[in-house]
Amino acid sequence: MNQHDPGALYSNHLAELTRRADAALARGGFEHLVIPSGTLHYQAFDDRDYPYAVNPLFKTWLPLTRLPNSWIIHTPGKRPTLVYHQPFDYWHAVPAAPSGWWVEHFDIHIIRKPEEALALLPKDAARCAIIGEPHSALGAFVPNNPPAVINYLDWYRAYKTPYEIALMRQAQEMAVRGHRAAEAAFRSGASEFAIHMAYCGAVGQDANDLPYGNIVALNEHAAVLHYTDLGRTAPQPLRSFLIDAGASALGYASDLTRTYAAAGNDEFQALIDAVDAAQQRMCAAVRSGFDYKQLHVDAHLSLMGILKDFGVITVSPEAALATGVSAAFFPHGIGHLLGAQVHDVAGFAASDAGGRVEPPAGHPYLRLTRTLQPGMVVTIEPGLYFIDMLLDEVKQAGNAASINWDRVDFFRPYGGIRIEDNVLCTEGEADNLTRPVFAAAE
């Protein structure tokens, strides 16, 4: 079996989803799992719809991301059913007839109108676990999202099957093509908007296809963690470039970040190199049984060690962490789960029955608090930023002496640094999905 061909891996993937669904239904006391693909949202006072986003659970079962008004029905002991909406429509392109390596695994019924699904759904909606958004409701089939079922399914979505990993590897390759094109555009002096367009062209995806909005930030804009304004004119002088951008392969995401210094900005380049080296050590720390919360705390200490070496802070890394100074420079989490969603579900789950494991005190933006296990794919994305409002809070808290403000003034025009790879936890050493693809591209 080809370990990188999703078609060859799909049968086993579907068998695993079936096993999980059976267990979840038994736990919740339901007879059927019903998954609507979702419907279109329309803008107020207009007939224009917002970009369609498929139900993420739907696309874990099927490699279909543009199929509104469709349904998957799973009943234990039976083949899954797909109600496939293919309308008669001359205003819009409609989904092609079902085809591909997945069709043999489903009983497929084509409908022309959404309401025709009612005759194909189970007879009693009360016996169904219906997983989706409220707007997916059709007649009595209103998403009920029973917690016992949701908690179980979400917990195990963290453990990626070989099929899912193969798609995520494809998403890495696509994103790296985009990152290489974006760096070339930056080196040529392009604007943020032009860099973004170069990225999309290289990946072959636009805003409706990408897993999240591209963050393309030049100079001080890199200090805005989710900067998406995309200036049309390149700043002068050009000092730095941060890009956080991924790609989607049949609904599965990659999420990569790189930071570059313009030619001649050697000290900022040295800071990038130090963060990059530390980030690779953090990636290597991904191990089965390792507490992700500890990885986050260790990242703070490592990054503060870098700032101490560069003369930005005057206290020890431990003191910077204890007083909250480190959070001013590294305000977000070390990363999150990744899969069919960029910030994949159940990052805080205590078990497959639910519950919540809180982030460490003082670190509210960490999105993953679970213990790492084989099959989990996580992002590792340390960052250092020079954000005025957070630095002002350091002063207000009485910790101004912990910072060399002249050094802050030197680095402020560069905005910040973030380096992000996607890492698969295995039974042994970490499998960095990102670095080998960049190395091959170079």
Side-chain angles (χ1 to χ4, degrees), residues 394-431:
V394 171
K395 294 177 180 178
Q396 293 166 11
N399 294 313
S402 299
I403 294 175
N404 182 333
W405 296 97
D406 289 338
R407 296 295 284 163
V408 167
D409 290 341
F410 176 84
F411 284 114
R412 183 181 283 112
Y414 297 92
I417 298 167
R418 183 162 66 251
I419 310 290
E420 179 181 17
D421 292 346
N422 306 156
V423 183
L424 170 64
C425 182
T426 74
E427 295 284 359
E429 294 185 354
D431 183 356

Side-chain angles (χ1 to χ4, degrees), residues 42-54:
Y42 286 87
Q43 299 178 25
F45 315 117
D46 203 344
D47 62 355
R48 296 178 60 232
D49 55 276
Y50 292 105
Y52 169 71
V54 68

